[in-house]
Amino acid sequence: MSEENETIHHRIEELAEIKETARRGPDPAATERQHARGKLTAHERIGLLLDKGTFTEVEPLRRHRATGFGLEDRKPYTDGVVTGWGTVHGRTVFVYAHDFRIFGG
C-alpha cells in the first residue's frame, strides 16, 4: 500500500471514530442517567421511529460558535439536536430530536 493510501485509510478511520464519538455523546454518564430515567437518547428514539437503516443525519459533526458563559470550552457535536431524514413504512420523512445529554437538549 502506498503512503498516500495509508494516509487516506488512516483519515477514514479517524472520521469513523469522530462520528462514533459524536453518536455516543460527550459523557457516557449522561447516557446512563438518561437510561436510568427510562428515557432513550435522540438517536435511539429516531431509530425506533424510522425504518431500519434509513436514517441520514444532517451535519452530525456540526459544532456551535458561541462564546461567553464558558461555551467556548464546551463544543460537543450536534449542539443537542439530531436532524435528518429516513423512511417510515417506505415513505420519506424528515425528523429531529433533542438530545438531552447535550446542553439539556
Side-chain angles (χ1 to χ4, degrees):
M1 190 182 300
S2 73
E3 185 176 326
E4 184 178 331
N5 286 342
E6 287 180 28
T7 302
I8 291 170
H9 182 69
H10 178 70
R11 297 290 291 163
I12 290 170
E13 287 178 352
E14 283 180 339
L15 180 59
E17 287 176 26
I18 291 169
K19 285 183 174 182
E20 183 55 32
T21 298
R23 189 172 179 82
R24 279 194 313 263
D27 179 14
T31 302
E32 291 175 19
R33 287 191 302 272
Q34 192 77 347
H35 289 160
R37 293 182 187 117
K39 297 180 179 182
L40 301 173
T41 67
H43 283 102
E44 290 167 341
R45 294 191 310 271
I46 289 171
L48 289 174
L49 173 66
L50 299 179
D51 298 337
K52 186 175 177 76
T54 65
F55 182 56
T56 300
E57 189 170 352
V58 175
E59 297 191 359
L61 304 181
R62 168 68 75 186
R63 289 181 158 173
H64 72 78
R65 291 181 263 170
T67 58
F69 305 103
L71 289 174
E72 56 276 355
D73 298 326
R74 296 182 57 209
K75 293 191 177 200
Y77 295 106
T78 75
D79 278 349
V81 181
V82 178
T83 309
W85 70 85
T87 61
V88 174
H89 298 295
R91 291 183 168 208
T92 301
V93 297
F94 296 86
V95 296
Y96 73 93
H98 292 272
D99 189 343
F100 293 99
R101 301 171 304 161
I102 301 170
F103 297 132

